[in-house]
Amino acid sequence: MKIALMMENSQAGKNAVVLNELQQVVAPQGDTVFNVGMSDENDHHLTYIHLGIMASILVNSKAVDFVVTGCGTGQGAMMSLNIHPGVVCGYCLDPSDAFLFNQINNGNALSLAFAKGFGWGAELNVRYIFEKAFTTGERGQGYPVERVVPQQANAAILNDVKAAVVKENFLDTLKAIDPELVKTAVSGERFQQCFFENCQVAEIEDYVRTVLA
């Protein structure tokens, strides 16, 4: 699995801690982490709005399989990601949130609170969240297991409803966003390395190159 970690300006100082915990959890099973957001306060400036654009490009181009993100409360990042087609982002405060989101909702992104409640031992909570998110076996198996059939059906229906509400295809949606917002979102060196080396949709790559030109 290819996992993108992206953090915005208010919590960039915690990137090293979060990145380390994520890598320690997923590297042993062969997953790859791309640190595509801000790595410290002096890095390429991003807000939670940019995170949604970045996540949508990476997911819809199949450059990554999953996105880990967040902000101070985790709420803004979650809302920013969920407005985009193809992205299903859960809100995660503790390990049980991560497990239940994966088993019941089976989305492709998690938003964490990196300020609220992020005190002593916070790195342990982050580690346990990642363990439940990435090392508990097959996703979408329901909880409790006897509820798997209706839960899988409802998750699929929700995806269909979102696709009906967001009527434009992804590229049309991306082109409708202020190009300056998109340019800022895709200007980071590590984002570009992840995207251009792993993008599987030529039309999306062409548009990103046009924005950057």
Side-chain angles (χ1 to χ4, degrees):
M1 178 183 285
K2 297 190 292 293
I3 303 165
L5 171 64
M6 53 182 69
M7 297 176 70
E8 43 76 75
N9 66 96
S10 74
Q11 305 303 311
K14 296 168 184 167
N15 177 254
V17 171
V18 177
L19 176 62
N20 177 68
E21 297 301 331
L22 180 56
Q23 289 177 324
Q24 291 294 322
V25 169
V26 304
Q29 59 189 27
D31 295 335
T32 303
V33 177
F34 299 93
N35 189 29
V36 301
M38 294 181 66
S39 60
D40 58 44
E41 292 90 341
N42 299 315
D43 202 353
H44 174 67
H45 188 269
L46 299 168
T47 70
Y48 67 81
I49 299 168
H50 298 114
L51 299 182
I53 298 170
M54 295 162 63
S56 68
I57 291 173
L58 292 178
V59 168
N60 283 283
S61 70
K62 301 179 181 179
V64 304
D65 305 298
F66 202 96
V67 172
V68 173
T69 189
C71 54
T73 65
Q75 299 280 15
M78 179 193 67
M79 292 187 290
S80 178
L81 268 67
N82 276 327
I83 64 173
H84 293 275
V87 183
V88 179
C89 182
Y91 182 57
C92 188
L93 294 178
D94 58 46
S96 64
D97 288 336
F99 176 78
L100 293 171
F101 173 72
N102 280 356
Q103 294 305 318
I104 297 172
N105 310 106
N106 195 17
N108 51 20
L110 280 176
S111 179
L112 281 65
F114 292 128
K116 183 181 179 183
F118 203 92
W120 186 79
E123 77 282 357
L124 298 177
N125 187 53
V126 168
R127 182 190 310 168
Y128 301 150
I129 284 173
F130 294 151
E131 288 177 353
K132 291 301 182 183
F134 299 112
T135 67
T136 53
E138 187 175 357
R139 303 161 59 84
Q141 297 306 296
Y143 185 86
V145 291
E146 59 267 23
R147 293 283 299 157
V148 62
V149 173
Q151 288 173 355
Q152 288 177 340
N154 286 335
I157 291 170
L158 184 60
N159 289 338
D160 290 342
V161 170
K162 182 170 183 175
V165 172
V166 184
K167 295 183 182 300
E168 298 174 300
N169 67 43
F170 172 70
L171 194 55
D172 288 340
T173 302
L174 185 61
K175 289 179 178 179
I177 300 171
D178 181 350
E180 287 302 314
L181 274 176
V182 178
K183 184 174 183 178
T184 299
V186 302
S187 290
E189 181 179 350
R190 292 187 310 279
F191 175 90
Q192 291 183 26
Q193 182 176 5
C194 172
F195 173 70
F196 289 124
E197 290 183 0
N198 297 283
C199 176
Q200 299 180 41
V201 181
E203 293 83 359
I204 298 176
E205 178 177 347
D206 290 343
Y207 181 68
V208 171
R209 290 190 183 279
T210 298
V211 170
L212 290 169

